[in-house]
Amino acid sequence: MDTTQDTRKKEPRTELPRIGGRVLPAGCPSRALLGDITSKWGVLVLVGLSEGPRRWSDLRHGIDGISEKMLAQTLRTLETDGLVARDAKPVVPPYVEYSLTGDGAEVTALLLPLLDWVQAHVSQGRTTAFPG
Amino acid sequence: MDTTQDTRKKEPRTELPRIGGRVLPAGCPSRALLGDITSKWGVLVLVGLSEGPRRWSDLRHGIDGISEKMLAQTLRTLETDGLVARDAKPVVPPYVEYSLTGDGAEVTALLLPLLDWVQAHVSQGRTTAFPG
DNA sequence: CAGCATCCGCTTCGATACTG
DNA sequence: CAGTATCGAAGCGGATGCTG
């Protein structure tokens, strides 16, 4: 998306920032991709496609609370990242299907356990501070 | 589950939004918790604590690009969610250590594979120029 | 050292309207 | 049905300054 070319303004730092034994410098592509995947709607769209191809309207109604703008934007971003494939059939009533690519399926497979954990955890009646 | 008369604003349609065979209604606690975990800095803070307790300054320098405000805010949010524990030692030079709770460790364990996948995927020379 | 308070730009997001 | 375009509000997030 952006990939802002950050040209080290005035940061005479020489050490590499490590988190969890990993290196994820600010402004590197991994940060951007991670951001797309873990974005508010990104994760929900990916999971929404985890069971198979879905049409635009299916996603629109299946993902509660998403607006058309955000759905379009998220799908486009994920498509650019190579995680989602778009298949538009040239028929009179427009028929567009979205599906996960191989990469998208891999990521989503890693995302699903997280979703399940969150749901299971909340169900245990632990979270308090949200009116909903 | 909650779904306890959630209509504080306007909820004309409260159907069964299913994504990936799961139900995650907008405004439910799972959405909020998921948002905290997958937020821009949330995931990085959790991973930063994955190897053991860390001090404030360690996190501040270890997580490239994070500001003091965001670090404090993220830590506080994760603490409220019960994922991070704060241990302030009453010594003259303030010594505060943050660590993962049991729940936090579980979530982070699910997060790490995702981080690894993203890094590995980007490293395959797909994106624009950026070594690290 | 470990924060919190304030200002404020800039992105994100939702609502609405319009197109093929 | 499947989007695109535009606008304005909300809040995310950074810089700075202050406290214990």
Side-chain angles (χ1 to χ4, degrees):
Chain A
M1 293 295 279
D2 52 338
T3 58
T4 44
Q5 292 282 36
D6 182 31
T7 52
R8 299 294 189 270
K9 293 172 182 176
K10 44 182 177 181
E11 195 82 350
R13 175 167 301 168
T14 52
E15 48 189 276
L16 230 36
R18 286 167 173 273
I19 50 178
R22 291 158 183 77
V23 180
L24 270 134
C28 81
S30 7
R31 282 282 187 92
L33 179 56
L34 184 66
D36 293 341
I37 295 171
T38 64
S39 68
K40 178 179 180 181
W41 299 115
V43 52
L44 295 177
V45 166
L46 286 173
V47 171
L49 293 172
S50 63
E51 290 189 327
R54 290 287 185 272
R55 296 182 62 178
W56 166 275
S57 49
D58 292 335
L59 291 171
R60 174 114 174 74
H61 286 113
I63 303 173
D64 191 30
I66 198 170
S67 66
E68 293 180 357
K69 178 182 176 180
M70 283 301 104
L71 179 57
Q73 185 174 304
T74 304
L75 283 171
R76 194 163 282 273
T77 299
L78 295 176
E79 191 187 356
T80 301
D81 289 335
L83 303 178
V84 164
R86 181 177 181 274
D87 178 31
K89 293 180 169 55
V91 291
V92 180
Y95 192 97
V96 183
E97 236 181 30
Y98 293 91
S99 58
L100 293 177
T101 63
D103 288 340
E106 289 183 27
V107 172
T108 307
L110 299 176
L111 242 37
L112 286 175
L114 185 65
L115 260 286
D116 288 338
W117 187 93
V118 169
Q119 277 199 295
H121 189 263
V122 167
S123 298
Q124 290 174 5
R126 192 90 127 50
T127 323
T128 57
F130 201 89
Chain B
M1 278 305 173
D2 54 333
T3 62
T4 56
Q5 277 293 51
D6 179 24
T7 63
R8 66 168 177 177
K9 260 190 175 180
K10 59 180 179 81
E11 200 89 326
R13 301 286 294 174
T14 315
E15 295 204 3
L16 61 158
R18 285 169 173 273
I19 50 178
R22 291 157 185 78
V23 181
L24 270 135
C28 81
S30 13
R31 282 282 187 94
L33 180 56
L34 184 65
D36 292 342
I37 295 170
T38 65
S39 69
K40 179 179 179 180
W41 298 115
V43 51
L44 295 177
V45 167
L46 287 172
V47 171
L49 294 172
S50 63
E51 291 188 326
R54 290 286 185 272
R55 297 183 62 179
W56 165 275
S57 50
D58 292 336
L59 291 171
R60 172 112 173 78
H61 287 112
I63 303 174
D64 192 28
I66 198 170
S67 67
E68 293 178 357
K69 177 183 175 180
M70 283 302 105
L71 179 56
Q73 185 174 303
T74 304
L75 282 170
R76 196 159 280 275
T77 299
L78 294 177
E79 191 187 355
T80 301
D81 290 335
L83 303 178
V84 164
R86 181 177 182 273
D87 178 31
K89 293 177 168 57
V91 291
V92 181
Y95 192 98
V96 183
E97 236 181 30
Y98 292 91
S99 58
L100 293 177
T101 64
D103 288 340
E106 289 183 28
V107 172
T108 306
L110 299 176
L111 242 37
L112 287 174
L114 185 65
L115 259 286
D116 288 338
W117 187 94
V118 169
Q119 278 199 296
H121 190 263
V122 167
S123 299
Q124 289 174 7
R126 179 109 111 52
T127 353
T128 55
F130 203 108

mmCIF file of all heavy atoms in Angstrom, chain A residues 15-51:
data_model
loop_
_atom_site.group_PDB
_atom_site.id
_atom_site.type_symbol
_atom_site.label_atom_id
_atom_site.label_comp_id
_atom_site.label_asym_id
_atom_site.label_seq_id
_atom_site.Cartn_x
_atom_site.Cartn_y
_atom_site.Cartn_z
ATOM 1 N N GLU A 15 21.933 -0.228 16.558
ATOM 2 C CA GLU A 15 21.493 -1.543 16.993
ATOM 3 C C GLU A 15 20.179 -1.924 16.330
ATOM 4 O O GLU A 15 19.383 -1.078 15.963
ATOM 5 C CB GLU A 15 21.325 -1.534 18.505
ATOM 6 C CG GLU A 15 20.532 -0.320 18.970
ATOM 7 C CD GLU A 15 20.545 -0.177 20.474
ATOM 8 O OE1 GLU A 15 19.707 -0.837 21.075
ATOM 9 O OE2 GLU A 15 21.369 0.559 21.024
ATOM 10 N N LEU A 16 19.970 -3.213 16.228
ATOM 11 C CA LEU A 16 18.756 -3.707 15.618
ATOM 12 C C LEU A 16 17.743 -4.048 16.699
ATOM 13 O O LEU A 16 18.044 -4.763 17.637
ATOM 14 C CB LEU A 16 19.060 -4.972 14.816
ATOM 15 C CG LEU A 16 18.547 -5.002 13.398
ATOM 16 C CD1 LEU A 16 18.644 -3.613 12.760
ATOM 17 C CD2 LEU A 16 19.349 -5.985 12.594
ATOM 18 N N PRO A 17 16.557 -3.485 16.584
ATOM 19 C CA PRO A 17 15.530 -3.750 17.589
ATOM 20 C C PRO A 17 15.018 -5.194 17.483
ATOM 21 O O PRO A 17 14.588 -5.634 16.430
ATOM 22 C CB PRO A 17 14.432 -2.748 17.252
ATOM 23 C CG PRO A 17 14.701 -2.320 15.870
ATOM 24 C CD PRO A 17 16.089 -2.642 15.523
ATOM 25 N N ARG A 18 15.055 -5.885 18.598
ATOM 26 C CA ARG A 18 14.593 -7.272 18.591
ATOM 27 C C ARG A 18 13.368 -7.427 19.472
ATOM 28 O O ARG A 18 13.333 -6.955 20.587
ATOM 29 C CB ARG A 18 15.690 -8.201 19.128
ATOM 30 C CG ARG A 18 16.819 -8.415 18.168
ATOM 31 C CD ARG A 18 17.969 -9.074 18.888
ATOM 32 N NE ARG A 18 19.009 -9.436 17.952
ATOM 33 C CZ ARG A 18 19.032 -10.594 17.288
ATOM 34 N NH1 ARG A 18 18.072 -11.467 17.471
ATOM 35 N NH2 ARG A 18 20.001 -10.863 16.444
ATOM 36 N N ILE A 19 12.403 -8.091 18.960
ATOM 37 C CA ILE A 19 11.251 -8.425 19.787
ATOM 38 C C ILE A 19 10.990 -9.912 19.664
ATOM 39 O O ILE A 19 10.757 -10.441 18.593
ATOM 40 C CB ILE A 19 9.992 -7.648 19.378
ATOM 41 C CG1 ILE A 19 9.774 -7.758 17.879
ATOM 42 C CG2 ILE A 19 10.097 -6.219 19.785
ATOM 43 C CD1 ILE A 19 8.533 -7.069 17.427
ATOM 44 N N GLY A 20 11.064 -10.585 20.775
ATOM 45 C CA GLY A 20 10.839 -12.015 20.780
ATOM 46 C C GLY A 20 11.842 -12.752 19.913
ATOM 47 O O GLY A 20 11.503 -13.711 19.237
ATOM 48 N N GLY A 21 13.059 -12.277 19.935
ATOM 49 C CA GLY A 21 14.094 -12.921 19.135
ATOM 50 C C GLY A 21 13.957 -12.645 17.649
ATOM 51 O O GLY A 21 14.721 -13.133 16.837
ATOM 52 N N ARG A 22 12.958 -11.811 17.322
ATOM 53 C CA ARG A 22 12.736 -11.487 15.911
ATOM 54 C C ARG A 22 13.061 -10.024 15.659
ATOM 55 O O ARG A 22 13.105 -9.222 16.554
ATOM 56 C CB ARG A 22 11.281 -11.761 15.539
ATOM 57 C CG ARG A 22 10.965 -13.225 15.543
ATOM 58 C CD ARG A 22 9.478 -13.440 15.717
ATOM 59 N NE ARG A 22 9.179 -14.839 15.790
ATOM 60 C CZ ARG A 22 9.392 -15.569 16.891
ATOM 61 N NH1 ARG A 22 9.909 -15.015 17.953
ATOM 62 N NH2 ARG A 22 9.095 -16.840 16.903
ATOM 63 N N VAL A 23 13.260 -9.749 14.419
ATOM 64 C CA VAL A 23 13.565 -8.373 14.056
ATOM 65 C C VAL A 23 12.478 -7.842 13.128
ATOM 66 O O VAL A 23 12.262 -8.369 12.052
ATOM 67 C CB VAL A 23 14.933 -8.280 13.347
ATOM 68 C CG1 VAL A 23 15.222 -6.849 12.994
ATOM 69 C CG2 VAL A 23 16.022 -8.860 14.220
ATOM 70 N N LEU A 24 11.800 -6.834 13.579
ATOM 71 C CA LEU A 24 10.752 -6.227 12.761
ATOM 72 C C LEU A 24 10.887 -4.717 12.794
ATOM 73 O O LEU A 24 10.183 -4.027 13.517
ATOM 74 C CB LEU A 24 9.373 -6.618 13.293
ATOM 75 C CG LEU A 24 8.766 -7.887 12.731
ATOM 76 C CD1 LEU A 24 8.205 -8.753 13.819
ATOM 77 C CD2 LEU A 24 7.694 -7.517 11.744
ATOM 78 N N PRO A 25 11.803 -4.191 11.991
ATOM 79 C CA PRO A 25 12.036 -2.747 11.985
ATOM 80 C C PRO A 25 10.795 -1.997 11.534
ATOM 81 O O PRO A 25 10.018 -2.502 10.730
ATOM 82 C CB PRO A 25 13.153 -2.573 10.958
ATOM 83 C CG PRO A 25 13.709 -3.935 10.735
ATOM 84 C CD PRO A 25 12.609 -4.886 10.990
ATOM 85 N N ALA A 26 10.638 -0.816 12.056
ATOM 86 C CA ALA A 26 9.530 0.021 11.620
ATOM 87 C C ALA A 26 9.721 0.388 10.158
ATOM 88 O O ALA A 26 10.821 0.672 9.717
ATOM 89 C CB ALA A 26 9.454 1.271 12.481
ATOM 90 N N GLY A 27 8.649 0.349 9.405
ATOM 91 C CA GLY A 27 8.712 0.747 8.018
ATOM 92 C C GLY A 27 9.084 -0.368 7.059
ATOM 93 O O GLY A 27 9.164 -0.149 5.861
ATOM 94 N N CYS A 28 9.315 -1.564 7.579
ATOM 95 C CA CYS A 28 9.641 -2.677 6.695
ATOM 96 C C CYS A 28 8.356 -3.336 6.202
ATOM 97 O O CYS A 28 7.299 -3.168 6.813
ATOM 98 C CB CYS A 28 10.537 -3.682 7.394
ATOM 99 S SG CYS A 28 9.662 -4.821 8.459
ATOM 100 N N PRO A 29 8.423 -4.049 5.100
ATOM 101 C CA PRO A 29 7.230 -4.645 4.492
ATOM 102 C C PRO A 29 6.470 -5.574 5.422
ATOM 103 O O PRO A 29 5.244 -5.668 5.353
ATOM 104 C CB PRO A 29 7.801 -5.442 3.313
ATOM 105 C CG PRO A 29 9.086 -4.789 3.007
ATOM 106 C CD PRO A 29 9.633 -4.316 4.309
ATOM 107 N N SER A 30 7.189 -6.262 6.308
ATOM 108 C CA SER A 30 6.491 -7.194 7.200
ATOM 109 C C SER A 30 5.504 -6.462 8.087
ATOM 110 O O SER A 30 4.417 -6.970 8.364
ATOM 111 C CB SER A 30 7.499 -7.952 8.065
ATOM 112 O OG SER A 30 8.795 -7.462 7.919
ATOM 113 N N ARG A 31 5.874 -5.275 8.502
ATOM 114 C CA ARG A 31 4.968 -4.483 9.318
ATOM 115 C C ARG A 31 3.696 -4.151 8.550
ATOM 116 O O ARG A 31 2.594 -4.228 9.081
ATOM 117 C CB ARG A 31 5.642 -3.179 9.748
ATOM 118 C CG ARG A 31 6.615 -3.329 10.884
ATOM 119 C CD ARG A 31 5.895 -3.447 12.204
ATOM 120 N NE ARG A 31 6.833 -3.431 13.308
ATOM 121 C CZ ARG A 31 7.207 -2.338 13.961
ATOM 122 N NH1 ARG A 31 6.710 -1.166 13.604
ATOM 123 N NH2 ARG A 31 8.056 -2.404 14.944
ATOM 124 N N ALA A 32 3.867 -3.773 7.297
ATOM 125 C CA ALA A 32 2.717 -3.407 6.483
ATOM 126 C C ALA A 32 1.807 -4.610 6.252
ATOM 127 O O ALA A 32 0.580 -4.516 6.416
ATOM 128 C CB ALA A 32 3.186 -2.837 5.151
ATOM 129 N N LEU A 33 2.413 -5.726 5.908
ATOM 130 C CA LEU A 33 1.624 -6.929 5.656
ATOM 131 C C LEU A 33 0.926 -7.392 6.922
ATOM 132 O O LEU A 33 -0.254 -7.756 6.903
ATOM 133 C CB LEU A 33 2.539 -8.042 5.121
ATOM 134 C CG LEU A 33 1.870 -9.385 4.816
ATOM 135 C CD1 LEU A 33 0.721 -9.221 3.834
ATOM 136 C CD2 LEU A 33 2.893 -10.387 4.281
ATOM 137 N N LEU A 34 1.668 -7.366 8.013
ATOM 138 C CA LEU A 34 1.083 -7.739 9.302
ATOM 139 C C LEU A 34 -0.092 -6.834 9.640
ATOM 140 O O LEU A 34 -1.127 -7.286 10.134
ATOM 141 C CB LEU A 34 2.150 -7.647 10.397
ATOM 142 C CG LEU A 34 1.728 -8.102 11.791
ATOM 143 C CD1 LEU A 34 1.435 -9.592 11.814
ATOM 144 C CD2 LEU A 34 2.792 -7.754 12.823
ATOM 145 N N GLY A 35 0.087 -5.565 9.352
ATOM 146 C CA GLY A 35 -0.992 -4.613 9.596
ATOM 147 C C GLY A 35 -2.231 -4.911 8.775
ATOM 148 O O GLY A 35 -3.352 -4.814 9.270
ATOM 149 N N ASP A 36 -2.031 -5.277 7.524
ATOM 150 C CA ASP A 36 -3.170 -5.607 6.671
ATOM 151 C C ASP A 36 -3.909 -6.825 7.190
ATOM 152 O O ASP A 36 -5.140 -6.864 7.224
ATOM 153 C CB ASP A 36 -2.690 -5.871 5.236
ATOM 154 C CG ASP A 36 -2.151 -4.603 4.595
ATOM 155 O OD1 ASP A 36 -2.468 -3.508 5.082
ATOM 156 O OD2 ASP A 36 -1.413 -4.721 3.602
ATOM 157 N N ILE A 37 -3.141 -7.832 7.597
ATOM 158 C CA ILE A 37 -3.751 -9.085 8.057
ATOM 159 C C ILE A 37 -4.495 -8.879 9.371
ATOM 160 O O ILE A 37 -5.614 -9.339 9.545
ATOM 161 C CB ILE A 37 -2.672 -10.165 8.239
ATOM 162 C CG1 ILE A 37 -2.046 -10.515 6.884
ATOM 163 C CG2 ILE A 37 -3.242 -11.413 8.886
ATOM 164 C CD1 ILE A 37 -0.828 -11.397 6.974
ATOM 165 N N THR A 38 -3.851 -8.188 10.291
ATOM 166 C CA THR A 38 -4.430 -8.033 11.622
ATOM 167 C C THR A 38 -5.289 -6.781 11.754
ATOM 168 O O THR A 38 -5.653 -6.412 12.859
ATOM 169 C CB THR A 38 -3.333 -7.999 12.689
ATOM 170 O OG1 THR A 38 -2.514 -6.849 12.472
ATOM 171 C CG2 THR A 38 -2.484 -9.247 12.649
ATOM 172 N N SER A 39 -5.586 -6.147 10.636
ATOM 173 C CA SER A 39 -6.434 -4.965 10.723
ATOM 174 C C SER A 39 -7.836 -5.360 11.162
ATOM 175 O O SER A 39 -8.226 -6.523 11.108
ATOM 176 C CB SER A 39 -6.492 -4.269 9.367
ATOM 177 O OG SER A 39 -7.190 -5.059 8.436
ATOM 178 N N LYS A 40 -8.546 -4.363 11.612
ATOM 179 C CA LYS A 40 -9.891 -4.586 12.159
ATOM 180 C C LYS A 40 -10.744 -5.482 11.270
ATOM 181 O O LYS A 40 -11.337 -6.447 11.721
ATOM 182 C CB LYS A 40 -10.579 -3.233 12.356
ATOM 183 C CG LYS A 40 -11.989 -3.329 12.881
ATOM 184 C CD LYS A 40 -12.583 -1.938 13.069
ATOM 185 C CE LYS A 40 -14.008 -2.014 13.588
ATOM 186 N NZ LYS A 40 -14.616 -0.670 13.746
ATOM 187 N N TRP A 41 -10.795 -5.165 9.990
ATOM 188 C CA TRP A 41 -11.654 -5.939 9.093
ATOM 189 C C TRP A 41 -10.898 -7.032 8.354
ATOM 190 O O TRP A 41 -11.493 -7.995 7.871
ATOM 191 C CB TRP A 41 -12.329 -5.007 8.097
ATOM 192 C CG TRP A 41 -13.206 -3.977 8.737
ATOM 193 C CD1 TRP A 41 -13.022 -2.621 8.719
ATOM 194 C CD2 TRP A 41 -14.397 -4.211 9.518
ATOM 195 N NE1 TRP A 41 -14.022 -2.005 9.429
ATOM 196 C CE2 TRP A 41 -14.884 -2.949 9.926
ATOM 197 C CE3 TRP A 41 -15.083 -5.353 9.898
ATOM 198 C CZ2 TRP A 41 -16.030 -2.812 10.703
ATOM 199 C CZ3 TRP A 41 -16.220 -5.211 10.676
ATOM 200 C CH2 TRP A 41 -16.683 -3.954 11.063
ATOM 201 N N GLY A 42 -9.603 -6.861 8.226
ATOM 202 C CA GLY A 42 -8.797 -7.830 7.484
ATOM 203 C C GLY A 42 -8.945 -9.240 8.015
ATOM 204 O O GLY A 42 -9.198 -10.187 7.252
ATOM 205 N N VAL A 43 -8.808 -9.387 9.307
ATOM 206 C CA VAL A 43 -8.900 -10.712 9.903
ATOM 207 C C VAL A 43 -10.292 -11.300 9.728
ATOM 208 O O VAL A 43 -10.450 -12.495 9.459
ATOM 209 C CB VAL A 43 -8.508 -10.658 11.396
ATOM 210 C CG1 VAL A 43 -9.276 -9.594 12.130
ATOM 211 C CG2 VAL A 43 -8.705 -11.995 12.056
ATOM 212 N N LEU A 44 -11.319 -10.457 9.816
ATOM 213 C CA LEU A 44 -12.685 -10.959 9.685
ATOM 214 C C LEU A 44 -13.006 -11.360 8.246
ATOM 215 O O LEU A 44 -13.733 -12.325 8.011
ATOM 216 C CB LEU A 44 -13.679 -9.909 10.184
ATOM 217 C CG LEU A 44 -13.578 -9.590 11.682
ATOM 218 C CD1 LEU A 44 -14.542 -8.494 12.062
ATOM 219 C CD2 LEU A 44 -13.813 -10.842 12.510
ATOM 220 N N VAL A 45 -12.460 -10.612 7.292
ATOM 221 C CA VAL A 45 -12.676 -10.952 5.893
ATOM 222 C C VAL A 45 -11.975 -12.275 5.556
ATOM 223 O O VAL A 45 -12.551 -13.153 4.905
ATOM 224 C CB VAL A 45 -12.161 -9.829 4.968
ATOM 225 C CG1 VAL A 45 -12.071 -10.298 3.531
ATOM 226 C CG2 VAL A 45 -13.072 -8.616 5.052
ATOM 227 N N LEU A 46 -10.756 -12.423 6.024
ATOM 228 C CA LEU A 46 -10.014 -13.656 5.768
ATOM 229 C C LEU A 46 -10.748 -14.864 6.345
ATOM 230 O O LEU A 46 -10.908 -15.893 5.681
ATOM 231 C CB LEU A 46 -8.607 -13.557 6.374
ATOM 232 C CG LEU A 46 -7.620 -12.651 5.626
ATOM 233 C CD1 LEU A 46 -6.329 -12.496 6.406
ATOM 234 C CD2 LEU A 46 -7.335 -13.203 4.236
ATOM 235 N N VAL A 47 -11.194 -14.711 7.574
ATOM 236 C CA VAL A 47 -11.931 -15.801 8.216
ATOM 237 C C VAL A 47 -13.251 -16.061 7.482
ATOM 238 O O VAL A 47 -13.701 -17.198 7.361
ATOM 239 C CB VAL A 47 -12.187 -15.469 9.693
ATOM 240 C CG1 VAL A 47 -13.136 -16.468 10.322
ATOM 241 C CG2 VAL A 47 -10.875 -15.462 10.451
ATOM 242 N N GLY A 48 -13.842 -14.985 6.979
ATOM 243 C CA GLY A 48 -15.091 -15.124 6.237
ATOM 244 C C GLY A 48 -14.934 -15.929 4.963
ATOM 245 O O GLY A 48 -15.895 -16.491 4.431
ATOM 246 N N LEU A 49 -13.712 -15.984 4.477
ATOM 247 C CA LEU A 49 -13.449 -16.743 3.249
ATOM 248 C C LEU A 49 -12.840 -18.113 3.545
ATOM 249 O O LEU A 49 -12.496 -18.858 2.626
ATOM 250 C CB LEU A 49 -12.491 -15.956 2.345
ATOM 251 C CG LEU A 49 -13.025 -14.650 1.755
ATOM 252 C CD1 LEU A 49 -11.926 -13.883 1.051
ATOM 253 C CD2 LEU A 49 -14.172 -14.935 0.793
ATOM 254 N N SER A 50 -12.723 -18.422 4.822
ATOM 255 C CA SER A 50 -11.990 -19.634 5.208
ATOM 256 C C SER A 50 -12.702 -20.922 4.800
ATOM 257 O O SER A 50 -12.079 -21.965 4.655
ATOM 258 C CB SER A 50 -11.758 -19.640 6.727
ATOM 259 O OG SER A 50 -13.004 -19.684 7.397
ATOM 260 N N GLU A 51 -13.995 -20.841 4.608
ATOM 261 C CA GLU A 51 -14.729 -22.064 4.270
ATOM 262 C C GLU A 51 -14.953 -22.237 2.783
ATOM 263 O O GLU A 51 -15.511 -23.242 2.357
ATOM 264 C CB GLU A 51 -16.074 -22.053 4.995
ATOM 265 C CG GLU A 51 -15.936 -22.235 6.494
ATOM 266 C CD GLU A 51 -17.281 -22.432 7.156
ATOM 267 O OE1 GLU A 51 -18.257 -21.844 6.663
ATOM 268 O OE2 GLU A 51 -17.340 -23.165 8.157
#
